[in-house]
Amino acid sequence: MSEFKNIGLIGRTESVNAVTSLTRLMKFLEREGYSVVLEEEIAGAVRHSARVSAKEKLGELCDLVIVVGGDGSLLAAARALAKFSVPLLGINRGRLGFLTDITPDEVEQKVGDVLAGKYMAESRFLLDMSVTRSGKPVGKGTALNDVVLHPGEFIRMIEFDLYIDGQFVYTQRSDGLIISTPTGSTAYALSGGGPIMHPKLDAIVLVPLNPHTLSSRPIVVEGSSEFKIIVGEYNTTKPYVTCDGHEQIITKPGDVIRIHKKPHRLTLVHPLEHNFYEICRSKLGWAE
């Protein structure tokens, strides 16, 4: 008997292809006798008789959540559900699909295999970010990929101080800084010149964005490291800090940004033949 009985479904309602795959998946699950719980945003996009739930509640109701969409959809699900320890499985209806690795035409076979216990589970860590101003909280966020400090609306160099585990690292003038998990090392950090890190690594990479000094290079540190960024007093712009390009806080000079590993980890479920290096070959064009 399957360890997964209650299956939550999340998807991109603005994508016709995603809605088609969601409908196909829902019919398959119900035909196989599983209890389906639809995230409320997609409930109005498909014909169904299933239970409906807010995204955050899926973690309490479900043994497994399947995300139909791109990596962005899975990132959003991870931020909402990580604290519940419910595993996530991704079906790719986006572009690259580093995290959503089942193709639409193999839904029944691959999802069926996972539900039959033929799968591998992978643990990923997330980052917690908070901003304080004069000692008072301004905002916070969670990221599976990265936390990014950037100029915001205007393309202007910004200045900030970086501390790691209480030790001063540097004062930098640049377009910003990417603080990335291994999961995010194949995303924005890669575009910024950062290294590709295997998902099993307990490490964080810091990638400067167009630094004013050519000697500024990416730094890889322990995953348990704690970061403090102090926004420079003389910036002429108000830098933004974002989590996975989604949650956004506008900072002011003197604000303190703190980043550290989230205590809750995310479990990603993959088919047995999942291979990180094969994904890199196909998605990044290594075989060409």
Side-chain angles (χ1 to χ4, degrees):
M1 182 176 292
S2 175
E3 63 186 291
F4 306 122
K5 298 180 177 61
N6 300 298
I7 314 296
L9 297 185
I10 295 176
R12 294 175 55 198
T13 56
E14 71 275 15
S15 166
V16 175
N17 290 333
V19 172
T20 299
S21 292
L22 276 165
T23 302
R24 174 178 169 179
L25 175 60
M26 182 175 60
K27 290 180 178 179
F28 166 73
L29 292 172
E30 291 177 338
R31 188 167 63 245
E32 294 296 312
Y34 293 95
S35 175
V36 175
V37 185
L38 295 180
E39 192 266 331
E40 58 187 3
E41 289 187 10
I42 67 169
V46 296
R47 297 181 62 182
H48 68 91
S49 57
R51 285 186 292 170
V52 177
S53 167
K55 183 183 295 181
E56 292 76 11
K57 288 290 184 179
L58 289 176
E60 300 175 359
L61 299 173
C62 301
D63 310 306
L64 173 72
V65 172
I66 302 177
V67 182
V68 181
D71 285 348
S73 299
L74 197 139
L75 290 172
R79 291 193 299 270
L81 299 174
K83 64 181 178 181
F84 297 104
S85 300
V86 60
L88 300 185
L89 174 66
I91 296 174
N92 187 25
R93 271 302 192 177
R95 295 179 181 176
L96 278 178
F98 268 95
L99 302 174
T100 49
D101 51 2
I102 295 179
T103 61
D105 59 354
E106 57 185 10
V107 165
E108 289 87 354
Q109 177 189 344
K110 298 297 184 183
V111 173
D113 286 345
V114 168
L115 296 176
K118 300 175 183 177
Y119 68 87
M120 57 182 292
E122 194 173 53
S123 179
R124 306 281 183 102
F125 70 84
L126 298 87
L127 298 174
D128 274 338
M129 179 277 300
S130 65
V131 179
T132 56
R133 183 173 301 151
S134 300
K136 298 180 180 179
V138 174
K140 61 183 180 179
T142 297
L144 176 59
N145 268 356
D146 48 47
V147 177
V148 181
L149 178 69
H150 60 96
E153 297 179 359
F154 304 100
I155 304 176
R156 292 180 184 171
M157 194 164 286
I158 58 178
E159 184 175 287
F160 55 89
D161 296 336
L162 172 67
Y163 294 81
I164 300 178
D165 292 331
Q167 296 183 333
F168 177 69
V169 180
Y170 51 53
T171 296
Q172 185 178 103
R173 297 187 73 240
S174 65
D175 287 348
L177 183 68
I178 304 170
I179 300 95
S180 172
T181 67
T183 301
S185 69
T186 52
Y188 192 23
L190 182 62
S191 300
I196 294 174
M197 297 194 293
H198 193 280
K200 291 183 180 180
L201 282 176
D202 185 12
I204 295 171
V205 63
L206 294 89
V207 181
L209 288 171
N210 302 319
H212 191 57
T213 56
L214 296 178
S215 58
S216 293
R217 292 289 184 267
I219 303 173
V220 180
V221 299
E222 287 185 313
S224 59
S225 300
E226 297 192 359
F227 308 91
K228 181 173 72 173
I229 300 171
I230 302 177
V231 180
E233 293 283 356
Y234 303 105
N235 286 313
T236 57
T237 184
K238 296 178 181 178
Y240 287 42
V241 58
T242 59
C243 295
D244 290 343
H246 179 72
E247 297 171 325
Q248 178 174 284
I249 299 171
I250 301 175
T251 69
K252 291 184 178 181
D255 283 1
V256 178
I257 304 164
R258 289 184 171 85
I259 302 161
H260 57 84
K261 183 190 291 186
K262 192 177 186 69
H264 308 96
R265 298 179 70 94
L266 171 71
T267 299
L268 284 182
V269 173
H270 303 286
L272 284 177
E273 66 275 14
H274 173 79
N275 184 318
F276 175 72
Y277 303 110
E278 192 281 325
I279 291 174
C280 288
R281 285 196 304 272
S282 61
K283 305 298 183 181
L284 300 178
W286 286 359
E288 296 177 2

